[in-house]
């Protein structure tokens, strides 16, 4: 069974528990201006950013519309909006990013304002039809059962599409600063979205796994300098690919090489001054044009057992000086988060190797952060997303409740 198919089976089972536990919601007619359910982003003007990008603060909502969210035929009891918001690229330029804000139908039962989780998905792909906002509207988002664990706590959730996923791309895959900005600005956008019931004082948690763990780790590192006004209580960072270069060395030419080649295109998009187009062979140019439209299920098969160098005129393009600068720029661990974090990672992860989580824990501990390292996650990479999710949600619940954050740095840092 393929990895995407295995993830689908596991998550559909989890979805059943979400549907049973969530309070029923009466079916409502779609609001005027709501998202068309089957129009892909490349054919939907909502996703086209204004040109030029307005001179407004990062996190400003540029446009929004209500959307109905279902999952494999089951209604999800939330109020939801698709949003297009102003964010910032990896190189500091203003951009526009799409996403979805979900708020439970039920009133917040706790004290204070309803908490908000900024959630980052794992690898979806590079093309527009891979965007979580499109998948949520179509009822095919495989991570909805994970998101649902936050919704069941009564928390609102903002799900970013990342840069170039939904909006014109390709997606800037593995460009850590861009991912972190998109997560933080999704929280800002949700807090200011009319009708959401959220406010700038809403406490915020960060959560993601795999590429989402990389994004949440970058958001945790950036929040003090980029979004200091957000009341971020903590971050749950799942299976983070801390050092993309070392993972590329492991997987280039192997069964997971499609991810390595996608990362090369994603980083070349985020850092256009890095040599890429000019070193592609004719086959490489055709392959990258196709890859730019693909989701992970397709490119992980099509580009398996190929190397990045097989598409370039340079044997090892990642060794070029400018590419070394880029890889240094996206490596996690250089800045200690100012809010508490938990890193959770399965010791048997065959894709994002366990030492990546260990490396990040050590780096953040050296920087003086408060970090809990949680290796009590069962299964390989895909199953680890499911078995680790309750740990992540419990961790964030503790931070929202104001309980002291556990800190393994004092033991092993």
């Amino acid at each position: 069974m393929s990895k995407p198919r295995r993830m689908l089976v596991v998550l559909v089972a989890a979805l059943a528990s979400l549907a049973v536990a969530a309070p029923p919601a009466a079916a409502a007619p779609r609001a005027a201006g709501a998202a068309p359910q089957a129009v892909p982003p490349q054919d939907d003007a909502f996703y086209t950013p204004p040109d030029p990008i307005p001179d407004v603060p990062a996190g400003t909502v540029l446009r929004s519309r209500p959307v109905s969210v279902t999952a494999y035929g089951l209604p999800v009891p939330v109020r939801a909006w698709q949003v297009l918001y102003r964010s910032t690229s990896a190189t500091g330029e203003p951009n526009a990013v799409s996403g979805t804000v979900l708020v439970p139908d039920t009133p917040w039962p706790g004290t204070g304002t309803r908490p908000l989780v900024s959630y980052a998905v794992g690898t979806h792909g590079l093309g527009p039809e891979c965007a979580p906002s499109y998948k949520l509207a179509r009822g095919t988002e495989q991570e909805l059962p994970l998101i649902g664990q936050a919704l069941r706590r009564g928390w609102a959730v903002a799900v970013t599409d990342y840069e170039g996923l939904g909006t014109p791309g390709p997606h800037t895959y593995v460009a850590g600063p861009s991912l972190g900005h998109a997560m933080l600005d999704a929280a800002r956008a949700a807090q200011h979205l009319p009708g959401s019931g959220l406010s700038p004082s809403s406490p915020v948690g960060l959560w993601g796994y795999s590429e989402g763990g990389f994004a949440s780790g970058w958001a945790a590192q950036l929040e003090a300098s980029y979004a200091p006004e957000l009341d971020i209580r903590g971050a749950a960072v799942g299976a983070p690919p801390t050092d993309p270069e070392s993972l590329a060395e492991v997987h280039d030419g192997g069964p997971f090489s499609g991810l390595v080649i996608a990362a090369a295109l994603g980083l070349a998009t985020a850092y256009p001054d890095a040599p890429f187009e000019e070193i592609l062979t004719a086959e490489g140019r055709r392959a990258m044009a196709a890859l730019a439209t693909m989701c992970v299920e397709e490119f992980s098969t099509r580009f398996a057992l190929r190397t990045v160098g097989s598409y370039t005129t340079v044997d090892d393009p990642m060794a070029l000086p400018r590419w070394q600068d880029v890889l240094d720029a996206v490596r996690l661990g250089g800045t200690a988060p100012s809010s508490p974090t938990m890193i959770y990672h399965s010791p048997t992860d065959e894709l994002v190797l366990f030492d990546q989580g260990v490396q990040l824990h050590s780096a953040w501990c050296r920087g003086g952060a408060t970090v809990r390292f949680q290796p009590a996650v069962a299964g390989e990479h895909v199953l680890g997303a499911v078995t680790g999710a309750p740990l992540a949600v419990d961790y964030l619940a503790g931070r929202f409740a104001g309980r002291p954050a556990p800190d393994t740095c004092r033991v092993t840092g």
Side-chain angles (χ1 to χ4, degrees):
M1 183 182 292
S2 70
K3 282 186 175 297
R5 179 66 61 185
R6 187 159 64 249
M7 188 172 197
L8 174 61
V9 170
V10 173
L11 293 185
V12 166
L15 177 61
S17 68
L18 167 64
V20 169
R30 189 184 307 162
Q37 298 295 294
V39 178
Q42 66 269 30
D43 299 323
D44 186 346
F46 180 86
Y47 289 90
T48 302
D51 185 17
I53 301 295
D55 184 14
V56 294
T60 298
V61 177
L62 303 177
R63 64 179 72 117
S64 65
R65 63 186 179 188
V67 63
S68 299
V69 176
T70 62
Y72 305 101
L74 299 172
V76 179
V78 294
R79 293 175 293 128
W81 298 261
Q82 289 179 341
V83 293
L84 186 75
Y85 58 92
R86 151 69 162 98
S87 192
T88 305
S89 74
T91 56
E93 298 299 317
N95 63 9
V97 174
S98 52
T100 308
V101 177
L102 305 98
V103 181
D105 279 340
T106 53
W108 166 238
T111 59
T113 58
R114 187 191 299 271
L116 168 68
V117 172
S118 185
Y119 182 87
V121 298
T123 300
H124 274 37
L126 301 187
E129 293 183 44
C130 321
S133 64
Y134 176 57
K135 289 177 169 287
L136 285 165
R138 293 191 68 207
T140 58
E141 175 50 63
Q142 294 183 4
E143 294 192 34
L144 182 57
L146 307 183
I147 296 166
Q149 295 184 42
L151 295 170
R152 287 171 59 188
R153 299 276 183 140
W155 307 336
V157 180
V159 184
T160 180
D161 286 343
Y162 304 133
E163 180 183 14
L165 195 58
T167 53
H171 166 44
T172 53
Y173 184 47
V174 192
S178 172
L179 305 180
H181 294 152
M183 277 194 83
L184 295 168
D185 288 326
R188 286 166 157 163
Q191 289 182 339
H192 292 89
L193 181 66
S196 69
L198 301 170
S199 77
S201 65
S202 298
V204 177
L206 308 171
W207 179 22
Y209 183 89
S210 195
E211 183 186 8
F214 192 58
S216 58
W218 266 101
Q221 290 193 166
L222 290 168
E223 58 109 343
S225 59
Y226 183 75
E229 83 284 2
L230 290 177
D231 180 16
I232 293 181
R233 301 293 180 85
V237 177
T242 301
D243 185 356
E245 181 179 14
S246 66
L247 282 177
E249 291 171 352
V250 170
H251 292 309
D252 195 27
F256 304 121
S257 60
L259 297 169
V260 179
I261 295 167
L265 178 55
L267 289 174
T269 304
Y271 298 92
D273 64 332
F276 193 67
E277 181 70 25
E278 61 268 39
I279 63 172
L280 289 175
T281 62
E283 180 191 5
R285 287 191 292 273
R286 291 190 297 269
M288 295 308 110
L291 176 59
T293 69
M294 292 180 183
C295 296
V296 63
E297 296 87 349
E298 184 176 4
F299 72 63
S300 61
T301 300
R302 176 164 172 178
F303 292 96
L305 307 179
R306 297 296 300 266
T307 66
V308 175
S310 68
Y311 294 106
T312 67
T313 59
V314 178
D315 289 339
D316 185 6
M318 297 301 107
L320 296 174
R322 178 57 186 137
W323 273 106
Q324 283 293 298
D325 292 341
V326 168
L327 292 167
D328 287 344
V330 301
R331 188 175 293 113
L332 260 179
T335 302
S338 57
S339 300
T341 62
M342 179 180 78
I343 301 167
Y344 64 103
H345 206 153
S346 169
T348 57
D349 192 325
E350 84 294 8
L351 180 57
V352 179
L353 305 182
F354 185 64
D355 64 1
Q356 298 281 305
V358 173
Q359 177 182 332
L360 183 59
H361 177 248
S362 296
W364 279 349
C365 287
R366 287 195 301 271
T370 299
V371 189
R372 178 182 186 180
F373 187 67
Q374 174 58 272
V377 178
E380 38 71 76
H381 185 72
V382 171
L383 186 58
V386 179
T387 60
L391 302 173
V393 172
D394 284 345
Y395 179 82
L396 292 178
R399 309 293 72 73
F400 288 143
R403 295 194 292 270
D407 186 3
T408 52
C409 290
R410 290 174 296 181
V411 179
T412 60

